[in-house]
C-alpha cells in the first residue's frame, strides 16, 4: 500500500502529518511541552502543502505585533529557541519517517527475495516434473515385449522338439514291437528245430540194429546238417535281436527323458510368458499412475507459480510505489540509515599528524566517540614522531579529552625486549667549546679549530636531537625518543639532500632503512633482530599499507575512522571497507568529491560533520548508507525545509 498517494506531497507536509500522528499517539502519555507546531499544513490555492514553518512565522508575526521595542530582543531570542527546538523536532521526525520507510522498503525487498527464491524453487520443480514426464513418455515395454517374443520363439522351437521326440518315441516303440515279434518268430523256429532234433534223436535211440542206425543217419545226414545250421543261425539271429531290443529300449528311454525335459521347459516357458505379460500390464498401470501423479503435481506447482508471480508483481509495485514516495519526499532514490556505534566493537582513528587542518575534525571525532562509547578510543598513526605519546597526551588535555590508546607504525616496529639501549649523553671535553642558547635548549659545540662539530637540542630531561656537521655542512642528524634512546638517524649528501634515514629498535638494532634518490624514497629495507634483511618496500605507502593490514588482522573487532582523502585509508578499503568509517567534513558544501568517493569505494557506513551533511548524502549516493554526524558545525541549525526565505518581489 502506498504511504503517500499524491506525488505532490512534499517532505514538509509529510513530516507535519507524521508529527500529527505522533502527537495523537502520545496523547495518553503526555510529555513535557515541546515547541508548538501545527499538526497539518493547510494547502494553498495551487494545491501544494504550505511550508511547515507556518507556526514559526505566525509566532514571529504575533510577537512583533504585540511586543514593544524594548521586548523585541527577548522575543527574538525566545523565537530563536523555539525555532531551534522546532529544528530538533523536525530532525527527529524526519529521521523517524526515514527509518520507518527504510524498514518498510527493507521488508518489501526481503519479501521480494523470499518470493524470488520460492519462484526459483517452483521453476526447478516444474522443470523436474516436465523431465519426469518426458522420461515416462519415452519409456515403453520394448524390452519386455522382446523378451515375450523370444519366449514365444522358444516355445515354438520347444513344440517342434516335442513333436520330433514324440515321433521318435512312436518309431522306436514300433521298432521295439517289430523286434519283439521277430524274437517270438525266432523262438518258435528254434522250438521247431529242437523238436525235429528231438524226433531224429528219438528214432536213432529206438533202433538197435547198428546197420539200421547207420542207414538212418545216412538217410537223414542232410537234414541233420540243415537242422544244425538252422539252429546256429537262429541262435545268432536271436542274439542280434536281443542286442537290438536293448538298444531300442535305451533309445526309447533316452528319448522319453528328452521329451520329459522338453515338456518341463515348455511348462517353464509358459510360466515365463505369463510373468512377462503380467510385468507388461504392471508397467502400464504404474506409468499411468505416475503420469496422473505428475499431472496433479504439475497443476499444483503451476497454480503456486502463478500465485508467486502475482505476489512478486504486487511486491514490485509496492516497492516501486514506496521508492516513488521516497523520491518525492526526500528527493533521493536511497535512504540514509542512522549509524550507531556498538560497545562490542573497538573504534580507532587513523591520523597521520595533528596539524591545524586536521585538529578541528579530530577533536570533534574524539568528542563524538567519548559521547557514544564506554571505553577509550584508539589513535592509529603511521607518521614518525619520537615523542608521539607526549604530544597526544598534551593534545588530549588541551581539548579536555581522555588520552586515547596510541598505536604508531614506527613505535610498534621499534619495540624490542629487553630494552637495553642507553640514554645518550655528551661528556665534557677540554678540546671542545660549547655555546648554549639563552633558554639552555640548544648547544653548539666547536672543535679546537673553532669548526662547528654538532648542535644538540635538549628537552627538560634528555637530548632530543643531535646535528652533526662536516666542513661546515650538515652531514648527519640523530633523533632520540622520549627516553633519550637513539630512534632515527638521517644522512645528508654534500648538496644537503637526504640520502638515507635509519630507524632503530630501542635495544639498538637497525629495523628500517629508507634510501632516497633526489629526496624521494627509492626503497625501504626492513631488518630482523639479527641484522638480516627481512623484506623491501617500494614506498612509504607500501610500508604503511603492510603494517596497517597486519595490525587490522590482529584486531578483528576494530573499526577505523579515517579521512577518505588519505591514500592509505582508501587503499585499505579494498580489503577492509566493511570495517572502515570514512569521515566527510563538507558534504553539503562540496558534494562532488564525496559523490566520486562513494562511487569509487564500497563504503556502506560513514560519518559526516552535521545533520545537513547527513541529508545532503541522500542526493548524491548511489546506494543506501548508514550515517551519523559528529556535529562539528551548528547541529541545531534550521534545515532547508524550515528556513525562512523572503518572498519574491512582485513585478
Amino acid at each position: 500500500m502506498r504511504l503517500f498517494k499524491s506525488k505532490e506531497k512534499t517532505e514538509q507536509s509529510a513530516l507535519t502529518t507524521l508529527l500529527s500522528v505522533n502527537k495523537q499517539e502520545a496523547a495518553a502519555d503526555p510529555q513535557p511541552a515541546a515547541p508548538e507546531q501545527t499538526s497539518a499544513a493547510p494547502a494553498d490555492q495551487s494545491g501544494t502543502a504550505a511550508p511547515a514553518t507556518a507556526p514559526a512565522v505566525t509566532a514571529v508575526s504575533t510577537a512583533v505585533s504585540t511586543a514593544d521595542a524594548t521586548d523585541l530582543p527577548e522575543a527574538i531570542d525566545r523565537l530563536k529557541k523555539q525555532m531551534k527546538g522546532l529544528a530538533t523536532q523536525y530532525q527527529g521526525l524526519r529521521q523517524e519517517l526515514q527509518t520507518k520507510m527504510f524498514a518498510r522498503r527493507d521488508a518489501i525487498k526481503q519479501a521480494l527475495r523470499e518470493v524470488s527464491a520460492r519462484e526459483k524453487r517452483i521453476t526447478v520443480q516444474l522443470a523436474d516434473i516436465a523431465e519426469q514426464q518426458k522420461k515416462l513418455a519415452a519409456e515403453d515395454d520394448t524390452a519386455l515385449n522382446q523378451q515375450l517374443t523370444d519366449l514365444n520363439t522358444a516355445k515354438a522351437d520347444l513344440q517342434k522338439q516335442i513333436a520330433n521326440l514324440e515321433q521318435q518315441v512312436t518309431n522306436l516303440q514300433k521298432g521295439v514291437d517289430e523286434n519283439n515279434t521277430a524274437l517270438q518268430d525266432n523262438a518258435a523256429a528254434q522250438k521247431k528245430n529242437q523238436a525235429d532234433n528231438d524226433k531224429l534223436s528219438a528214432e536213432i535211440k529206438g533202433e538197435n540194429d547198428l546197420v539200421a542206425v547207420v542207414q538212418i543217419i545216412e538217410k537223414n545226414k542232410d537234414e541233420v546238417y540243415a537242422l544244425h545250421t538252422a539252429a546256429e543261425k537262429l541262435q545268432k539271429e536271436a542274439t542280434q535281436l536281443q542286442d537290438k531290443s536293448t538298444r531300442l529300449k535305451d533309445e526309447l528311454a533316452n528319448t522319453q527323458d528328452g521329451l520329459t525335459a522338453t515338456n518341463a521347459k515348455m511348462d517353464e516357458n509358459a510360466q515365463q510368458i505369463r510373468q512377462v505379460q503380467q510385468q507388461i500390464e504392471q508397467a502400464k498401470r504404474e506409468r499411468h499412475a505416475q503420469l496422473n501423479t505428475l499431472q496433479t503435481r504439475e497443476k499444483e506447482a503451476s497454480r503456486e507459480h502463478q500465485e508467486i508471480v502475482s505476489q512478486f508483481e504486487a511486491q514490485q509495485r509496492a516497492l516501486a510505489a514506496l521508492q516513488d514516495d521516497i523520491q518525492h519526499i526526500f528527493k533521493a532514490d536511497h535512504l540514509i540509515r542512522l549509524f550507531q556505534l556498538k560497545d562490542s566493537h573497538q573504534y580507532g582513528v587513523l591520523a597521520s599528524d595533528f596539524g591545524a587542518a586536521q585538529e578541528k575534525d579530530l577533536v570533534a571525532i574524539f568528542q563524538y566517540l567519548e559521547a557514544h562509547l564506554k571505553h577509550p578510543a584508539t589513535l592509529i598513526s603511521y607518521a614518525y614522531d619520537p615523542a608521539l605519546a607526549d604530544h597526544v597526551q598534551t593534545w588530549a588535555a588541551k581539548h579536555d579529552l581522555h588520552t586515547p590508546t596510541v598505536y604508531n607504525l614506527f613505535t610498534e616496529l621499534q619495540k624490542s625486549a629487553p630494552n637495553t639501549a642507553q640514554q645518550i649523553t655528551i661528556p665534557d671535553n677540554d678540546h671542545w667549546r660549547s655555546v648554549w642558547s639563552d633558554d639552555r635548549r640548544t648547544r653548539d659545540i666547536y672543535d679546537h679549530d673553532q669548526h662547528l662539530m654538532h648542535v644538540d637540542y635538549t628537552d627538560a630531561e634528555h637530548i632530543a636531537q643531535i646535528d652533526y656537521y662536516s666542513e661546515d655542512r650538515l652531514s648527519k642528524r640523530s633523533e632520540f625518543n622520549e627516553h633519550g634512546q637513539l630512534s632515527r638517524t638521517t644522512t645528508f649528501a654534500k648538496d644537503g639532500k637526504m640520502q638515507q634515514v635509519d630507524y632503530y629498535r630501542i635495544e639498538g638494532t637497525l629495523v628500517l632503512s629508507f634510501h632516497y634518490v633526489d629526496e624521494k624514497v627509492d626503497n625501504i629495507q626492513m631488518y630482523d633482530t639479527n641484522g638480516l634483511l627481512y623484506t623491501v618496500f617500494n614506498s612509504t605507502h607500501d610500508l604503511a599499507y603492510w603494517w596497517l593490514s597486519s595490525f587490522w588482522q590482529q584486531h578483528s573487532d576494530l573499526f577505523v575512522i579515517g579521512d577518505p582523502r588519505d591514500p592509505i585509508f582508501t587503499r585499505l578499503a579494498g580489503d577492509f571497507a566493511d570495517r572502515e568509517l570514512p569521515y566527510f567534513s563538507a558534504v553539503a558544501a562540496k558534494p562532488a568529491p564525496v559523490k566520486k568517493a562513494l562511487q569509487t569505494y564500497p563504503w556502506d557506513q560513514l560519518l559526516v560533520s552535521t545533520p545537513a551533511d547527513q541529508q545532503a548524502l541522500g542526493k548524491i549516493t548511489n546506494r543506501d548508507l548508514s550515517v551519523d554526524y559528529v556535529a562539528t558545525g551548528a547541529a541545531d541549525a534550521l534545515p532547508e525545509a524550515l528556513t525562512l526565505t523572503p518572498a519574491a518581489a512582485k513585478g
Side-chain angles (χ1 to χ4, degrees), residues 434-444 455-458:
S434 300
V435 179
W436 288 91
S437 63
D438 294 338
D439 57 4
R440 303 289 292 182
R441 288 186 173 274
T442 305
R443 180 171 62 154
D444 298 343
V455 178
D456 305 335
Y457 300 89
T458 63

Side-chain angles (χ1 to χ4, degrees), residues 552-572:
W552 219 330
Q553 291 172 1
Q554 296 170 6
H555 298 76
S556 58
D557 58 346
L558 177 65
F559 283 69
V560 175
I561 302 171
D563 189 341
R565 296 169 296 182
D566 184 345
I568 303 300
F569 185 79
T570 53
R571 184 175 174 181
L572 287 165

Side-chain angles (χ1 to χ4, degrees), residues 543-590:
L543 171 63
Y545 175 77
W546 170 82
W547 178 76
L548 286 168
S549 296
S550 301
F551 179 81
W552 219 330
Q553 291 172 1
Q554 296 170 6
H555 298 76
S556 58
D557 58 346
L558 177 65
F559 283 69
V560 175
I561 302 171
D563 189 341
R565 296 169 296 182
D566 184 345
I568 303 300
F569 185 79
T570 53
R571 184 175 174 181
L572 287 165
D575 298 321
F576 302 99
D578 58 335
R579 291 162 59 191
E580 284 190 335
L581 292 173
Y583 171 73
F584 294 96
S585 58
V587 181
K590 298 179 180 179

